[in-house]
Amino acid sequence: MNEHFSRRSLLRFSCSVLALSVSSLVYRQVALASTEQTSAWGAWEEFKKRFLSEGGRIISNDEDSSRTYSEGQAYGLFFALVANDRVGFDKILRWTENNLCNGDMTARLPAWLWGKRKEGDWGVIDSNPASDADLWIAYALGEAGRLWGVARYRALASLLAARVLREETVEVPGLGLALLPAPVGFAEGEGRWRFNPSYMPMQVMHWLAGTEPQSAWRQLADSSLKILLGSAPKGFSPDWTLYDTKQGFLIDTKGTEKGEGTYNAIRVYLWAGMMHPDAIGRRALLKALEPMAQHIRSQGYPPESIDILTGKASGPAPSGFSVAILPFLQAQGDKAALEAQRMRLEARPLRPEAYYEQVLSLFGQGWMDGVFRFAATGHLLPQWRP
């Protein structure tokens, strides 16, 4: 009896040791994989060297090469999260809050433009916020809070999102609650508003609709898809569009683009291409924008600008457009056009000092390389998080 008990105990002990050994081995393998995946994202490291100041400011290369846009800070936060770069993330966030939010992101939206002012000093040049930057900042903060387990980030994200709802939306007959480009300057009067389709990435909209408690975000997701589809009747997205409650979508004749799709609109195809296959609206969006894929296939390059009604295009765009369009062409299943743009990028590499081209590359090439993905709900799926 005792001998039987001893053998049984020994067997249980041996099984326990084996289980612990296997568990330890699995843990070491997961830890090793995690370590490998959290290694620096080379493209982000190069971007930081060129465009990120020691204090946390993303410096564009327009005008006198010294200006900073809230959009750049927002993208910087997103890329730092994708790269698992907590130090860079905190540095960018701190500069953004101190300089674009007057030291308190819980009290105000980030100013759109910062740089050297006419008086010779440095500071905010245009305090009117940009809603696309505000959305991306809220998204980056919320996902950083989830992935890194930081409650402060999640709280900041929710407060920022609530402020966007209060200050940067408008109820539009026929559309519902819609996202304005900024709090001031985009209500044209007489039942007419001006919108920017590239300010409405559906990944971010779906994420906000699923994570924030306000039901208004679901309405914004619905109206954003309506704007994306309705503003591109021929399959070409405009930089800016007008919506009239009686006439529907109209060409924006006041803006310098005058009904063309160019440096803003290229992001519409980029965002659409990166949507999860099961994301709401993806199929309709890809089908509506298919003429752009056909145009690129026939010409061998994306146009720098294109008339959204006639399809008349300018000459070839910078190579940054080619890298931005890669996820879109892959989503369209257009292997020939995709390979042509890859070859174009080899023959005509991105300009290292071109800020916007490098931003488009971090999004487009980063997605193509599998550095990150988006879930159907919009949640970020970084490579470093197994």
Side-chain angles (χ1 to χ4, degrees):
M1 183 76 174
N2 290 337
E3 182 180 349
H4 176 69
F5 177 81
S6 298
R7 288 178 179 175
R8 186 168 58 185
S9 299
L10 180 61
L11 179 60
R12 287 177 177 173
F13 176 78
S14 299
C15 289
S16 298
V17 170
L18 178 61
L20 285 171
S21 299
V22 172
S23 177
S24 178
L25 176 61
V26 170
Y27 176 81
R28 287 197 299 272
Q29 289 175 335
V30 171
L32 177 60
S34 179
T35 300
E36 292 172 347
Q37 289 172 340
T38 56
S39 60
W41 180 18
W44 167 240
E45 294 301 319
E46 288 299 314
F47 184 91
K48 287 198 296 182
K49 290 177 185 177
R50 292 192 178 98
F51 304 106
L52 180 62
S53 75
E54 186 61 33
R57 180 166 76 97
I58 302 291
I59 304 171
S60 71
N61 61 346
D62 70 332
E63 299 290 333
D64 57 0
S65 300
S66 63
R67 291 186 167 189
T68 289
Y69 298 87
S70 58
E71 165 205 279
Q73 298 300 111
Y75 292 160
L77 290 171
F78 176 78
F79 297 142
L81 177 58
V82 168
N84 198 23
D85 180 3
R86 177 75 183 274
V87 173
F89 187 95
D90 284 337
K91 184 185 293 186
I92 296 168
L93 177 60
R94 184 164 52 249
W95 190 93
T96 303
E97 185 164 30
N98 288 339
N99 294 276
L100 302 186
C101 302
N102 198 27
D104 189 355
M105 193 175 283
T106 69
R108 56 186 57 82
L109 295 170
W112 171 64
L113 180 60
W114 190 98
K116 191 173 184 179
R117 297 184 284 209
K118 293 180 180 179
E119 298 79 7
D121 61 337
W122 293 78
V124 171
I125 297 173
D126 189 338
S127 61
N128 200 21
S131 61
D132 65 328
D134 303 335
L135 290 182
W136 276 107
I137 292 174
Y139 177 83
L141 283 167
E143 286 297 84
R146 177 179 68 88
L147 293 166
W148 286 333
V150 181
R152 176 176 179 265
Y153 293 159
R154 293 195 296 268
L156 273 176
S158 291
L159 290 171
L160 193 61
R163 191 167 292 279
V164 168
L165 284 180
R166 289 196 299 270
E167 300 181 20
E168 296 182 313
T169 62
V170 62
E171 189 70 38
V172 179
L175 287 180
L177 191 69
L179 181 73
L180 289 168
V184 179
F186 295 92
E188 301 289 313
E190 299 180 359
R192 185 175 293 188
W193 291 267
R194 194 168 180 238
F195 297 109
N196 188 317
S198 74
Y199 280 27
M200 305 169 184
M202 292 307 298
Q203 296 92 331
V204 177
M205 290 298 183
H206 289 154
W207 177 83
L208 286 161
T211 60
E212 292 303 306
Q214 302 93 338
S215 61
W217 284 112
R218 296 182 184 85
Q219 300 174 44
L220 275 174
D222 292 341
S223 67
S224 295
L225 185 59
K226 290 178 184 178
I227 291 171
L228 288 166
L229 296 173
S231 64
K234 302 294 183 180
F236 307 110
S237 184
D239 276 18
W240 297 92
T241 187
L242 289 177
Y243 182 81
D244 186 280
T245 54
K246 295 179 180 179
Q247 303 177 66
F249 289 98
L250 303 171
I251 295 297
D252 176 28
T253 57
K254 291 183 179 180
T256 56
E257 295 83 6
K258 291 182 170 54
E260 292 187 342
T262 177
Y263 284 85
N264 275 282
I266 188 64
R267 294 177 296 189
V268 171
Y269 310 101
L270 173 62
W271 308 149
M274 294 191 298
M275 290 176 72
H276 188 278
D278 296 331
I280 297 172
R282 177 182 183 264
R283 183 177 300 179
L285 198 51
L286 290 177
K287 182 175 178 58
L289 298 175
E290 188 177 1
M292 175 55 86
Q294 296 169 351
H295 180 90
I296 294 171
R297 187 191 315 122
S298 66
Q299 298 300 313
Y301 54 77
E304 185 171 22
S305 64
I306 189 166
D307 187 299
I308 70 162
L309 294 182
T310 67
K312 183 179 179 180
S314 67
S319 297
F321 281 40
S322 288
V323 75
I325 212 75
L326 294 179
F328 175 71
L329 295 175
Q330 180 161 296
Q332 292 284 359
D334 197 329
K335 295 181 180 179
L338 179 64
E339 185 59 27
Q341 294 316 297
R342 282 176 167 155
M343 294 296 292
R344 183 174 187 243
L345 286 165
E346 285 189 26
R348 189 182 177 84
L350 301 175
R351 294 170 293 173
E353 303 305 322
Y355 156 78
Y356 193 52
E357 283 194 52
Q358 294 300 323
V359 164
L360 294 176
S361 178
L362 285 173
F363 273 116
Q365 194 61 56
W367 190 91
M368 293 296 293
D369 292 341
V371 179
F372 68 94
R373 286 286 189 272
F374 295 102
T377 56
H379 287 82
L380 179 64
L381 306 174
Q383 189 180 54
W384 58 265
R385 183 71 176 264

